[in-house]
Structure formats: structure tokens, C-alpha cells
Amino acid sequence: MLRTDLASGTFGGVRLPLFVFLVLLAVGKTLALLIYGSGFYLTRMQLLNANTCEFQRNASQEFRYNQALTPSNLSPGEAECWTETMIDKVVLMIIDGARFDFAAASFDSKENVWSGNSPLSSIAETVQKYPETTELYRFVADPPTTTQQRLKSILTGGLPTFLDISKSFGAAKLVEDNLISQAAAAGRRISFSGDDTWLELFHHVHFAASVDAHPSFNVQDLDSVDQGVRRHLLTALDNPDDWDILIGHFLGVDHAGHTYGVESQAMIKKLQENDADIKSILSAMRADSAFDNALLIVMGDHGMTLHGDHGGGTSAETDSFLLIHQPRASSLQEVTQHKNSSKALSNLDLKTMSQIDFAPTLSTILDIPIPYGSLGAIQKRFLEVASTPDPRKETHALHMNNQVIEEWYLRALRGATMQVWRYLNAYVIEAGNPFSVDDWSRLQDLYNSSQSLTASDGDCVQMLEAFLSIAAETSRERWIQFSIRKMAVGVVLLICLLAICAMSKLLFLCEDVAVDARWKSILSRINAINNMFEGRAVHMEIIFLLIVAGLISGYRVSNSFIVAEADVAHFIVSSFALFFSVFRISFLRRSLRSQIRSDAALQSGLGAALLTCNTGCQLLGATWLKHADHGASRHVLLMTFLFLSRTIIFCAHGALPWICHRAMIQGNANGQRACITLASASLGLLTFKHGTCFSVLLRLVGIGTLCPSLSLEFFLPWVTYIASSIAFIVPVGFGKRSLNRYEIQIDTHGTIWSLLSIFVLSFGERGSLWGVLSITQSAAVLYSSSLGSAAVNYYNFREMTLALTWQVLALQCFFAGGHHCTFDSLHLTCAFIGLNKFHFVIMGILLSSNTWSGEALISGQIPTVVVSCMTSRRVDEEHLTKVLRNALSRFVLSYAVCRLVTIVVTSGFVGAERGHLMVWAVFAPKFAFDAAGQLFGDAWLIFGLLICVRHLRSE
């Protein structure tokens, strides 16, 4: 263990070794962030109440049908629950991740890549040909746009957010009242096939007819789930007497988006398959009289960005489509009506439907109670399509049926209104009132006004619709019930940790004053704290440091700057590059000219290298693509760019081993270098294995013949994983270490290079370019800040400046990898590299390593930074231990202070703006990513320090 002279400070007479201090600091930060997060992400309470037919009947009994107006041949029949319906079967086809422009490209002018031609052409054809029995909606979700949260919203009519706290102590199943449980309780036989997320929400007993669930996490598997759902649907349609509700949840489109992006050939192929599925279902239902009173609903649960990601709140992610259609009524209309009644899709007035409207509307059609927690309204057009009469009936009968629909709609509105008001009151009693006094008073006045009207009043419908609309909108704005106390405690703990680190830093500065002249001379050369060679230089550096620190902290208090955070990070790195170069060269010119010309030239070259790498990282992050497959039609200039990018990537693959060799050339680390070389070799083979020459070589060697079960997609990544793991373990092995600065560099370099192979693999084809740029720019910053020789008394930058620069580099590496502080930017495909089955722990580690690779790469190099600053200084080996301990402690404390300042600012601002419109779209993801990055970086900082601890203990 490190001795007391590596202590981080004295508190109440207690001195702590730096390693112990960092561990306690990480534990304290974790505790503070968990407390803050539990207060910030505390969302609505889940109520276990269930709605009943009795309540629905009493709520809507004033609006019973006038049976005298309903002919016997159009009578919907006696209501078993609370409303009459003619629908006895529903086919629900869900296309996971289906964007709105997949079905209605002519209506979507934003990010429309289909040139007005919808890839799901069967939907457009159905809407155009059968406008009376069909309706197409823009189906809008509330963020977060993840599949499980969207299913909850669709089936409950509620507003699930990031976390749902249940009164049943957080059961994994969907415990709130919902469509599936109500339908099953009413005796509806449900048949399900598709995404196994449904079985995480429901029990098998809910699906009385049949259930066929498939794993949903392997986003690289585009076909298995869809093929199983396709077989299940076709079999069920051939046996309509076995079920009442048929659900098929396709995943191929969502997986194609995650893996390849929207503009890929894989996406086109999956959409063509789903289009054929829709046509097959339509044909089967139109041809069988068993579907006379059946509805077909085709919809998506959320959209996706052009890169195929989702989770945020952009229109591309929230907007999907919903098609409701009566196939048998359409086939009868085709016989009795003229075909010229069809309308162009672009001429239709498409309606918008919120996802929370689905549950109450379908409940009305199925004559089951509306889910207890529903906040949605009733879609009248749904009822019209569901009650489409036989076109062979008389006109008088059709007119009377329209009167029935009006009364049906009014009755449904009344029932939905009373249920929403009952739910809001129950929530206020159970969990407290999340609404402001004005909002609650407004809702109460609207409800009372709507209940005082009768069916004969002309504005009764408008009042009921207004209440439901305002209740839903108010709930969206005010639903989240934050725990201000927990958030305040979390921020206070973070501030206390920051104060402790700052006090420790000051104590080190005070202790340096009392050191004897010999130690003071050595420490001033190593740490550049007391080296006041020029007062002007110190002032310039402090001013620049304050400006940059203010910029780093200030942009976190603006949602616009958070959205443009990547550009801010690249700008700051460019500023550091210019400052290092101009400031150092200007300083050198006032020194001994004969001795510093070569250093000035080197400084200029390092500055240029840093600017070049920064520009490359910015372009790489901005143009990060899912896959090389972008479609067949490409412009010549774009093809040229792709060729040049592949050339650069090829050069990067060749440069990585050479840089590794140069970085690890000193000392005896042959075993570690061999492992890293093996990892790099397998990485290169995996990258270029799809090339023609490599494929021919495999056939000549006969690998596929000798080992047909051997998959290079599986084998090569595991070679990289295993070799990198062995190389990673070497520095922390049980062998004895000597106190030598070069051996410390060897071990820390080996750790970084063993990690880099895994990072590069997770980033795919462009990973090597990311690795070269990240390593090169960090080296440029390091040598720019510590350039000089022992013969000349150079001005060296303060460790706080270097620590701040190091922190910005971690942020820039994050954005250079194509990441952003949004959940839809996660590279989910990296979790499946080398795996063909779902492994939660392994995949979680791979995804975390990819997302916060910059934190690991930068934080793990901290010992290298300190030791590298010592290599050009004359330090007596007998005093090396004390010098290294103090230098390491001071730089680590500076780095910890910089990191704590950013998380304190982020937490404070996010808490202050908790009522902002962009709280869940921008601020919540920002806090989540910053908090996770802090903890991930702390872990690697502690591990890097552990390597130094082994060397210092050997003294």
C-alpha cells in the first residue's frame, strides 16, 4: 500500500493513501449519483386497480342507443359489458421500428428517402382503393421510444417514462390494467407470435389460443423472428375458429435499422417481405366469410432515425403509422361499388393519433373495460370503420347506422372521460398531486362542465373531447413527480466531494512550501507548480484555463449547446492545440535560440498533428455509418469518397501495429506484445475477410470444408478478446516489479493497447481509424505540454491545464466514435460481435466498453502522463519514489477536480430545469451518459493507479 507521503491530504488528523482515497471518492460519487438519480428518474406510481364492466355501464348509461332507430338487421347486438359491437375478431400486425414514411412517403417531407414511393405499397393501395373501410393514421409515440415502453403505452393507454415504480415492489410483469388482461378476462382467446418482450410483460395464460415468442436481442438476426411470425399468422388465418385476437410482432425491420440503417438494401428487403405479409393477410381475410366482422390493424410501435436508432423524441423516432381496415367489407364494396371511387393517397386528409388513444378505442370496439390507467381519447373514425355496414343494404338503413355511430361515439367519450377522471383522483390519493393548483383546477372545471351536459346539447361532444385532450397534455407536462429532497442530497454530496478534492489539492500546495530547497527544486521541475519563470506566462495560462473551464461548464446549462456538444468539444480541442503551439513557440523565442530551434519546430509539428487529428475525429464522428451497404444508386463523388475512406482505413490498420511497436519498444514485454500482436492480426483478418482475395484463399485452404461449423465471424473476435485479456492481465500479475519509470510506462502502455484492440473491434470497419486518431492526438497533447530538455529552463504547463485538456480529450473520443448523449446513438450491434446467443453480462460489458471507450482510453493513461512528464527531467533515482508519488497525487487530484466540476454543473442544471420541455429528450439522457461516463472513467483511473502501486510497493 502507498505510504503516507502519497496521502491525498489530512482530514481530522487522518491521512489516506491516494489509492484508498480514489476508491472512497468513487464510492461516494456512485452513492451521490444513485441518490440523485432515484429522485430525478422517479416517475409515476403504478396503480394496481382494474376497471370493471359495471363502472363502464354506469358511466355511459345516459347515452344508451335509441333501439327504435336501429333496424334488426344492423343491430350490433346486446352488450356483454358496456357497449355494443359488431367486431368479433381482430388481427393485429406490428412492424417494430416502422417509420411513418414506410407507409405514407408522400406525406413525410422530412428525412424522406423514398422519393414519394412508399415501400409498404399495399398500405397505400388499400387506402386509395377502399377509403370507406380504411383509415391511415400518423401514429405518434411519447418518448422514450423503446419497444417495451411503447408496448406499455399502447396496451395501457398511459404514459410510461424511464422508470415505473410499482406498488407491487417493481414486478417485471406489466401489473397495470391493460388491453390484454381485460380481453383475456372477458374470455377472448388471444394468439400471439413474435417479440419475446411480450412474455416479459404478460404470462402465458393471457394467450389462451397459442403463444410463439422469439428472442429479440440479436439485432444481427434479421430473419428468424419474422419467419416464425409469418408461419404462425398464416396457420392461424387458416383456422379462424381457434382464436379471437391474433397478434404478430415482426422484428426484421427494427433489426435491419439497428445493424445497417434505413437506406440499406437489407432494409428494403425486409420492407418488401412485410409488404408481401400484409398482402397475404388481406387475401386470406377477404376470401373467408369467417372474417365478416373482423378488423385488420397494421402498425408500428415507434420510428427510427436514418441510422436506424430510436429511443429519443425526434419526429423520426416518435412517428409511425397505424392502418385500420375491414377486409371483408372492402371485398363486398368492390362488388357493389364502382372502382372510380378510389382517391390518391396524397389527396387524403390523414389524421394523427396518439398511442395512448389505442387502448381506450380498441376497448370500445371489443366491448371490454377501458384500462384503468388510460389517459387516451376515443378515435371516432375507428368506430366508423369497425361498424362499416354491408354495402348491399338500403340507403335508409345506412343513414340510421350513422346515427348509431354518433351515439356509440358519445357514449364511449363519456365512459373514457369518467375513467380518466377517476384514475387521476386515485393517483392523487395514492401518490400525491403532481399537478399545479391551476392545472388541477382547470381539469376539475372542465370535467364538471362536461358532466353537466346531456346528449341533446350540441357542444357535449366538444366538451368531452376537450377534457380528454387537456388531461392528456397536462399529464405529459406535469406527470413526473421529482423527489427534490433526494436530488438536493445528491448534489450536496457531489459538492462535498468536490470540496474534499479541492482541499486535498490545496494541502499539497501548502506542503510544498515547507519542503527543503533540494526537494523544492526537484518538484518544481516535475510538477511545474512553483516554476515562475515568467509572470506573464503564468497569467496567460490562468486566463486561458479559466476561459476554457467556463466554456466546458457553461455549455452544460443550455439545451442548444448540449445538442451541439460534439462541435463544442472539437472547438475546445482546437483551442488547446493553438494555445499549446502559439504559447510555447512564443515562449521559446525569448529563450536560448541556439538550443531551442529543433524544439520549436517539433512544437509546431505537434500542434499541426493535434489539429489534424481533431479535424479527423470531427469528420469521423459526423459521418459514422452503420454499415458499408448504402444502396445501389450512388453518385460518382460519393463513390470516390468511399474509396478514399477505405484507403485511409487500410492505412490506419497498418499504422496501429507500428505505433504499438514504437510505444512498447522499451523493456522486456515480449509476451504482452505478442498477445497484442495476435489481437491486432485477428482484428485485421476480421475486417478484410469479406474481400475477394481472402475469400478465394479460404476456399483454396479448405477451411470451410474441414471445419464447416467454424465461423470466422465468431472465431476471430474471440481471438481478439482472449489475447487482449491476457495482455491486459500481465501488468497486474503477481510478478515482482521494479521501481523504474520505463517499466511503469511499459505496463501502462500495454494496458492501453490491450484495451484498444477490443475498442477497435467494437467500432467495426472504422475502428482502427478511431484508434489511430485517439492515440495520436493524446500523444500530441502530452508531448506538447511537456516539451523541453533539462539543459534549458522551459516554462511547463500547470497540471490543472493538462488535466483539463485530458478531460476534454475523453469527451472528444466519445463523439468521434459516433456517439451522442441520446439513447438512440448506442451502438447496439457491437454487443453481438462474436456472439450468437444472448449473454446479458458479456453484451453489457461490450456495449459499455464501446460507449465509454474514450473514458477508459484517457483515464487509463494517467500514470503514463505523469511518468512521461518525468522522462526529460534529471531526477535522481534514489528520490524517484517520493517525486513520482507527489507528482501522481497532484495530477490525479487535478483531474478529479475537473471531472467533479462538470458532473456538479450537469446535475445542478438538470435538477433546476426539471420542468423544461426538453427534460426527457435532452437533459435526462445527458445526465445518464455523464454519470455513467464518470463512474466508468473512475474505474479505469483506479486500475491505472493500481499498476503504479505495484511498482511503488516494490521499493
Side-chain angles (χ1 to χ4, degrees):
M1 182 61 64
L2 297 180
R3 293 185 173 86
T4 56
D5 52 353
L6 189 53
S8 57
T10 304
F11 307 100
V14 180
R15 297 173 63 88
L16 295 176
L18 179 62
F19 180 78
V20 176
F21 177 79
L22 285 181
V23 172
L24 294 178
L25 180 64
V27 172
K29 187 186 296 186
T30 302
L31 179 63
L33 292 175
L34 288 176
I35 294 175
Y36 183 92
S38 65
F40 180 69
Y41 291 113
L42 179 63
T43 62
R44 65 184 182 88
M45 181 75 71
Q46 291 183 352
L47 303 184
L48 304 185
N49 309 57
N51 200 2
T52 61
C53 293
E54 181 181 2
F55 174 83
Q56 294 286 186
R57 278 194 296 268
N58 295 333
S60 57
Q61 63 181 356
E62 180 183 345
F63 301 105
R64 286 192 181 277
Y65 287 167
N66 185 347
Q67 297 297 336
L69 297 176
T70 307
S72 59
N73 55 3
L74 286 179
S75 175
E78 183 179 356
E80 295 182 2
C81 184
W82 68 289
T83 181
E84 294 82 356
T85 180
M86 293 184 297
I87 298 300
D88 55 14
K89 292 187 182 299
V90 173
V91 178
L92 177 60
M93 176 180 176
I94 302 175
I95 303 177
D96 203 298
R99 290 161 51 105
F100 177 70
D101 61 349
F102 289 175
S106 59
F107 279 86
D108 199 17
S109 59
K110 296 180 179 180
E111 292 191 346
N112 181 9
V113 298
W114 310 108
S115 302
N117 299 317
S118 304
L120 297 176
S121 59
S122 58
I123 292 180
E125 293 173 0
T126 302
V127 175
Q128 293 169 7
K129 195 171 183 180
Y130 308 108
E132 299 297 328
T133 59
T134 308
E135 188 63 41
L136 179 62
Y137 289 90
R138 183 187 290 270
F139 201 39
V140 181
D142 294 288
T145 48
T146 56
T147 296
Q148 187 176 82
Q149 301 295 70
R150 290 304 92 225
L151 288 178
K152 287 182 178 181
S153 181
I154 290 170
L155 298 174
T156 65
L159 295 169
T161 49
F162 284 90
L163 297 173
D164 293 312
I165 299 178
S166 172
K167 293 193 67 178
S168 63
F169 305 100
K173 301 296 182 181
L174 180 56
V175 294
E176 285 189 295
D177 197 14
N178 58 83
L179 266 175
I180 299 300
S181 61
Q182 286 285 4
R188 303 293 199 278
R189 298 163 300 167
I190 305 175
S191 177
F192 168 77
S193 177
D195 189 348
D196 62 352
T197 302
W198 288 72
L199 291 187
E200 296 177 5
L201 301 176
F202 303 102
H203 297 281
H204 282 78
V205 295
H206 287 109
F207 308 105
S210 61
V211 58
D212 181 26
H214 302 269
S216 59
F217 284 98
N218 189 358
V219 296
Q220 294 180 332
D221 182 3
L222 308 185
D223 301 316
S224 297
V225 178
D226 285 7
Q227 290 172 357
V229 175
R230 191 171 296 118
R231 289 191 300 267
H232 184 90
L233 287 180
L234 294 178
T235 302
L237 290 172
D238 290 337
N239 301 276
D241 296 333
D242 296 339
W243 52 269
D244 301 309
I245 300 176
L246 177 61
I247 303 173
H249 191 150
F250 291 84
L251 289 175
V253 168
D254 184 68
H255 288 184
H258 282 302
T259 307
Y260 301 100
V262 170
E263 301 177 89
S264 64
Q265 290 295 330
M267 177 63 75
I268 295 175
K269 177 177 177 290
K270 297 310 299 181
L271 289 174
Q272 290 174 346
E273 291 178 359
N274 286 146
D275 192 45
D277 294 329
I278 297 173
K279 293 178 180 178
S280 299
I281 295 174
L282 287 172
S283 299
M285 295 182 71
R286 288 170 180 167
D288 194 339
S289 60
F291 298 107
D292 282 348
N293 298 322
L295 272 183
L296 170 63
I297 301 175
V298 182
M299 69 182 195
D301 57 341
H302 53 75
M304 63 175 68
T305 64
L306 289 180
H307 287 174
D309 301 312
H310 59 88
T314 64
S315 59
E317 299 167 87
T318 59
D319 291 6
S320 185
F321 66 88
L322 184 144
L323 174 77
I324 179 172
H325 177 60
Q326 266 221 57
R328 281 289 291 176
S330 300
S331 63
L332 295 175
Q333 278 189 351
E334 190 172 9
V335 175
T336 60
Q337 295 182 357
H338 297 290
K339 295 185 178 181
N340 57 9
S341 63
S342 63
K343 298 174 65 176
L345 183 61
S346 57
N347 296 330
L348 297 177
D349 182 20
L350 294 190
K351 297 177 174 60
T352 298
M353 176 180 179
S354 175
Q355 282 192 353
I356 63 174
D357 296 344
F358 182 81
T361 303
L362 191 59
S363 296
T364 303
I365 293 175
L366 293 176
D367 187 26
I368 59 177
I370 295 175
Y372 189 88
S374 172
L375 293 169
I378 306 296
Q379 292 291 327
K380 182 179 179 181
R381 180 61 182 152
F382 250 76
L383 308 186
E384 294 174 348
V385 173
S387 59
T388 301
D390 191 329
R392 297 169 293 186
K393 303 300 180 181
E394 298 178 358
T395 306
H396 177 68
L398 297 180
H399 173 71
M400 285 189 292
N401 185 264
N402 290 334
Q403 289 184 297
V404 172
I405 293 175
E406 291 295 333
E407 293 190 15
W408 190 10
Y409 178 57
L410 188 57
R411 186 180 180 189
L413 279 179
R414 175 67 179 270
T417 299
M418 293 192 69
Q419 174 54 42
V420 169
W421 183 245
R422 180 174 69 154
Y423 171 67
L424 293 179
N425 278 275
Y427 189 89
V428 168
I429 295 173
E430 293 287 343
N433 195 341
F435 305 102
S436 65
V437 175
D438 293 339
D439 288 338
W440 185 252
S441 177
R442 182 188 182 193
L443 288 174
Q444 193 168 23
D445 292 342
L446 279 172
Y447 177 77
N448 292 334
S449 299
S450 65
Q451 297 305 303
S452 64
L453 300 176
T454 62
S456 59
D457 294 323
D459 55 351
C460 181
V461 171
Q462 288 76 11
M463 287 297 297
L464 293 171
E465 290 176 339
F467 170 80
L468 291 173
S469 175
I470 294 175
E473 191 60 33
T474 305
S475 298
R476 286 189 178 94
E477 295 175 357
R478 301 288 184 179
W479 197 253
I480 307 308
Q481 184 180 1
F482 299 99
S483 177
I484 307 300
R485 181 179 301 176
K486 289 184 178 180
M487 296 172 65
V489 170
V491 173
V492 169
L493 286 177
L494 290 174
I495 293 176
C496 291
L497 294 176
L498 176 60
I500 291 173
C501 286
M503 289 173 60
S504 301
K505 178 70 176 176
L506 292 176
L507 286 174
F508 260 108
L509 295 179
C510 294
E511 288 178 0
D512 285 341
V513 177
V515 180
D516 61 276
R518 182 185 62 178
W519 283 111
K520 185 174 182 179
S521 175
I522 295 176
L523 292 176
S524 64
R525 289 177 178 272
I526 303 305
N527 300 294
I529 297 301
N530 300 310
N531 188 355
M532 303 298 181
F533 186 77
E534 284 192 1
R536 184 185 304 175
V538 175
H539 295 156
M540 289 177 58
E541 181 184 355
I542 292 177
I543 292 173
F544 176 78
L545 184 63
L546 292 176
I547 293 174
V548 173
L551 181 60
I552 294 175
S553 301
Y555 84 83
R556 297 169 184 269
V557 298
S558 170
N559 63 305
S560 300
F561 276 93
I562 291 176
V563 172
E565 189 175 9
D567 295 330
V568 176
H570 296 305
F571 171 77
I572 295 176
V573 173
S574 299
S575 301
F576 272 118
L578 293 174
F579 176 73
F580 284 145
S581 301
V582 175
F583 180 84
R584 179 57 68 86
I585 293 175
S586 175
F587 179 83
L588 290 176
R589 287 178 178 175
R590 292 192 288 268
S591 302
L592 302 176
R593 295 182 178 274
S594 60
Q595 297 182 357
I596 51 80
R597 289 180 180 176
S598 60
D599 286 343
L602 179 58
Q603 182 66 58
S604 300
L606 291 173
L610 182 57
L611 284 174
T612 302
C613 290
N614 179 56
T615 303
C617 287
Q618 186 174 14
L619 293 175
L620 182 63
T623 60
W624 200 274
L625 300 176
K626 288 278 183 181
H627 195 265
D629 178 19
H630 310 293
S633 59
R634 284 297 171 186
H635 195 270
V636 176
L637 293 178
L638 183 56
M639 295 299 294
T640 304
F641 170 76
L642 291 176
F643 173 76
L644 292 176
S645 65
R646 288 181 179 275
T647 303
I648 296 173
I649 291 172
F650 180 84
C651 295
H653 272 291
L656 271 178
W658 181 82
I659 296 176
C660 174
H661 175 74
R662 297 296 301 172
M664 302 182 62
I665 197 170
Q666 296 168 329
N668 183 20
N670 293 328
Q672 192 178 51
R673 291 168 61 188
C675 291
I676 296 175
T677 301
L678 179 61
S680 300
S682 62
L683 183 62
L685 290 176
L686 184 65
T687 303
F688 296 107
K689 79 178 188 64
H690 295 294
T692 304
C693 296
F694 194 81
S695 300
V696 172
L697 179 62
L698 288 180
R699 293 190 184 97
L700 292 176
V701 174
I703 291 182
T705 304
L706 297 176
C707 302
S709 61
L710 179 62
S711 172
L712 292 179
E713 293 281 356
F714 174 82
F715 176 74
L716 291 178
W718 278 100
V719 172
T720 301
Y721 294 151
I722 295 174
S724 297
S725 299
I726 295 175
F728 179 77
I729 295 173
V730 168
V732 292
F734 297 98
K736 185 177 181 180
R737 293 289 189 269
S738 62
L739 184 59
N740 184 293
R741 69 184 74 176
Y742 297 115
E743 288 199 9
I744 296 177
Q745 281 185 298
I746 290 171
D747 285 349
T748 52
H749 282 164
T751 301
I752 295 303
W753 279 97
S754 62
L755 292 174
L756 190 64
S757 297
I758 298 178
F759 297 156
V760 169
L761 176 63
S762 68
F763 281 118
E765 185 182 76
R766 297 188 177 188
S768 54
L769 183 58
W770 176 89
V772 169
L773 292 174
S774 301
I775 288 293
T776 304
Q777 72 173 0
S778 61
V781 169
L782 177 60
Y783 291 114
S784 294
S785 60
S786 61
L787 180 64
S789 62
V792 181
N793 190 17
Y794 286 100
Y795 176 82
N796 291 303
F797 293 106
R798 295 166 179 258
E799 72 260 8
M800 186 62 75
T801 303
L802 186 56
L804 189 61
T805 311
W806 220 241
Q807 182 191 1
V808 177
L809 285 181
L811 187 64
Q812 191 220 32
C813 290
F814 173 81
F815 293 112
H819 298 106
H820 295 279
C821 290
T822 56
F823 296 107
D824 56 13
S825 68
L826 293 173
H827 295 182
L828 298 179
T829 54
C830 73
F832 296 90
I833 298 177
L835 300 171
N836 52 16
K837 293 183 179 180
F838 179 75
H839 299 276
F840 181 80
V841 176
I842 297 177
M843 290 181 172
I845 293 174
L846 292 177
L847 182 60
S848 301
S849 300
N850 173 271
T851 305
W852 292 285
S853 53
E855 289 283 353
L857 194 65
I858 297 302
S859 298
Q861 292 187 72
I862 295 297
T864 305
V865 174
V866 177
V867 174
S868 297
C869 291
M870 298 171 58
T871 55
S872 61
R873 305 292 184 239
R874 291 179 177 176
V875 181
D876 197 352
E877 291 295 333
E878 64 178 295
H879 303 308
L880 179 61
T881 302
K882 186 174 183 65
V883 172
L884 178 58
R885 285 173 175 170
N886 282 272
L888 188 62
S889 298
R890 295 163 69 146
F891 185 81
V892 167
L893 287 174
S894 299
Y895 188 63
V897 168
C898 293
R899 289 167 58 81
L900 276 169
V901 168
T902 58
I903 193 63
V904 167
V905 172
T906 299
S907 302
F909 176 69
V910 169
E913 296 295 328
R914 61 189 179 277
H916 195 279
L917 178 65
M918 305 298 291
V919 62
W920 299 119
V922 176
F923 301 141
K926 173 61 179 173
F927 171 76
F929 276 82
D930 275 13
Q934 288 270 336
L935 301 180
F936 202 79
D938 287 347
W940 287 110
L941 177 61
I942 292 173
F943 181 84
L945 188 63
L946 180 62
I947 297 176
C948 286
V949 168
R950 297 195 66 252
H951 288 273
L952 294 173
R953 288 184 61 187
S954 65
E955 179 219 7

